[in-house]
Amino acid sequence: YEKHLFTLKAFNNSQLIKYTHLHQLYFSGPVTYTNFDPQDFSKFCKGIATLKSLTVLDLNFSWTKQVTDQHLKELAPALRNLQHLTVVRLRFRGNYLILGEGIVSVLKALERHRSLKELHLDFAGCGRPFPKQAELIYSSIRKIKYDESRTPR
């Protein structure tokens, strides 16, 4: 099957490695996840990086409240490795510890993707980026290239 929709019950690298031919990954982290372990997120990012066939990545970590710029910096290399992505949806709404550096890392990781046709980023309610970081975010967004031949008209 080209479409797989499943929920991971734990961040575990070995669970993701089993799905190397996965084309779509939808993951919604628990909204009130109070025992957020940074090592678990690192394992999760390493697992995502193994999914070379992935075309759709939809991650929702809204209101987790413990996600930081460092977590997004760990996600960036995984995104950089996934060259077949056509749809990326990242929701980190309400994570006030994200201040901008991590957002820039994620955007820079997506700059070289040529197959993107949809990009949805939700960082509303995150910490306010410093002016220089806000400028970098804007600059990075402008550098992302979209495959216009794949965009619905």
Side-chain angles (χ1 to χ4, degrees), residues 11-22:
F11 298 110
N12 189 325
N13 189 24
S14 62
Q15 288 179 341
L16 286 175
I17 288 174
K18 294 177 190 175
Y19 299 98
T20 56
H21 297 293
L22 192 69

Side-chain angles (χ1 to χ4, degrees), residues 31-134:
V31 172
T32 58
Y33 194 40
T34 54
N35 297 321
F36 185 80
D37 184 346
Q39 291 180 343
D40 288 341
F41 191 83
S42 295
K43 289 178 185 177
F44 183 67
C45 292
K46 288 176 184 172
I48 288 174
T50 67
L51 305 175
K52 303 289 186 195
S53 300
L54 213 57
T55 59
V56 175
L57 179 63
D58 189 326
L59 302 178
N60 186 353
F61 284 92
S62 293
W63 303 105
T64 307
K65 295 182 183 173
Q66 294 178 1
V67 176
T68 67
D69 281 313
Q70 185 58 40
H71 294 108
L72 293 180
K73 287 179 182 179
E74 290 180 35
L75 178 61
L79 294 174
R80 193 173 298 115
N81 286 338
L82 303 175
Q83 291 299 310
H84 298 289
L85 287 174
T86 58
V87 176
V88 175
R89 295 183 198 106
L90 303 175
R91 296 175 191 90
F92 288 89
R93 175 182 288 260
N95 288 290
Y96 58 88
L97 296 175
I98 295 174
L99 300 174
E101 285 180 32
I103 299 170
V104 172
S105 296
V106 165
L107 292 171
K108 286 187 179 287
L110 295 171
E111 280 179 9
R112 292 195 170 93
H113 286 266
R114 299 292 181 241
S115 57
L116 270 183
K117 64 179 182 179
E118 180 184 332
L119 176 63
H120 174 88
L121 303 172
D122 184 354
F123 291 100
C126 291
R128 181 181 273 175
F130 299 109
K132 183 170 175 110
Q133 290 169 330

